[in-house]
Amino acid sequence: MKNLKGIFSALLVSFNEDGTINEKGLRQIIRHNIDKMKVDGLYVGGSTGENFMLSTEEKKEIFRIAKDEAKDQIALIAQVGSVNLKEAVELGKYATELGYDSLSAVTPFYYKFSFPEIKNFYETIIRETGNKMIVYSIPFLTGVNIGVNQFAELFENEKIIGVKFTAGDFYLLERLRKAFPNHLIYAGFDEMMLPASVLGIDGAIGSTFNVNGVRARQIFELAQQGKIKEALEIQNVTNDLIEGILGNGLYQTIKGLLEEEGVNAGYCREPMTKDLTPAQKQIVKELKAKFLS
Ligand code: HMN
């Protein structure tokens, strides 16, 4: 089994202008992550993969291409969560057959599901696929908050091996770390990686690692060595870059930065804005010159 700790890029997907998947571009993004960013793994089908705007067949296609390109070079996690449980199971079976090291699923969203319903959602995917599961908790987008006691209930299922914690609630993160020393906890906000690392996370999953993965690893490893001042200096530079990215359009700007690196990262998928304006493209050039040269 692959080591599931460390730095995971939340994989971006290259789309053509008409919204179809650009396979060649997607393969280039994967190679860039493996060869240049030296990530430990990829989180495929997440928010960053524009996943919730795609059809089931498109999601499968992305899982297939990512596994075919990465082979066994790095760890692969497939995000299969969907408010359509049947789709989540279908995707989970598909990714498991492809050899993904673990599944992950966002907490079911939109409807106000009860905790027993959420628990049943995870247990159904696990029962049907036999694979491991990482809970994807991202309350600011889903509105779903899971507390320590609820995590304890979920973790009673030994196939639920961890959580991707995309939240700024460091009290909850500290409580989770203390309560579950043997479960994997991944930080989900790249701009808060240092405080999360100090609290003892096992790894991080982030969109900006597609272009800033080397700095992300430095922050993580320096914090583990107790070199907080040095780690903070790199987090400061990282956050200057992230501030620039967030102010210019998150996924479009990361794609623009990849294009500057010679990677055909392509367009975003509507209803997201497909492309940057000329003024935004100029900002990408400035970010590239300042932070990635
Ligand atoms: C995913 O599901 O694609 C990522 O794991 C999500 C990840 O947590 C990112 N969150 C979102 O894009 C909503 C972060 O990397 C985020 O983009 C970054 O910290 C900038 O805010």
Side-chain angles (χ1 to χ4, degrees), residues 31-56:
R31 286 259 59 91
H32 182 79
N33 272 297
I34 298 173
D35 301 335
K36 303 272 172 54
M37 297 296 105
K38 309 272 186 210
V39 294
D40 297 300
L42 291 174
Y43 189 80
V44 185
S47 320
T48 307
E50 302 176 53
N51 175 75
F52 303 105
M53 296 174 282
L54 306 184
S55 71
T56 310

Side-chain angles (χ1 to χ4, degrees), residues 10 43 46-49 136 138 140-141 164 166 188-191 205-208 242 246 250-251:
Y43 189 80
S47 320
T48 307
Y136 180 6
I138 181 162
F140 97 99
L141 289 182
K164 170 164 138 45
T166 307
F189 273 130
D190 316 353
E191 52 276 44
I205 300 170
S207 63
T208 61
I242 292 179
L246 291 174
L250 176 59
Y251 304 132

Side-chain angles (χ1 to χ4, degrees), residues 34-35 48 103 111 118 151 173 182 220 231 246 274 285:
I34 298 173
D35 301 335
T48 307
L103 304 179
Y111 300 103
I118 293 172
F151 273 111
L173 179 58
N182 299 320
F220 183 55
L246 291 174
K274 285 197 280 188
K285 284 195 186 303

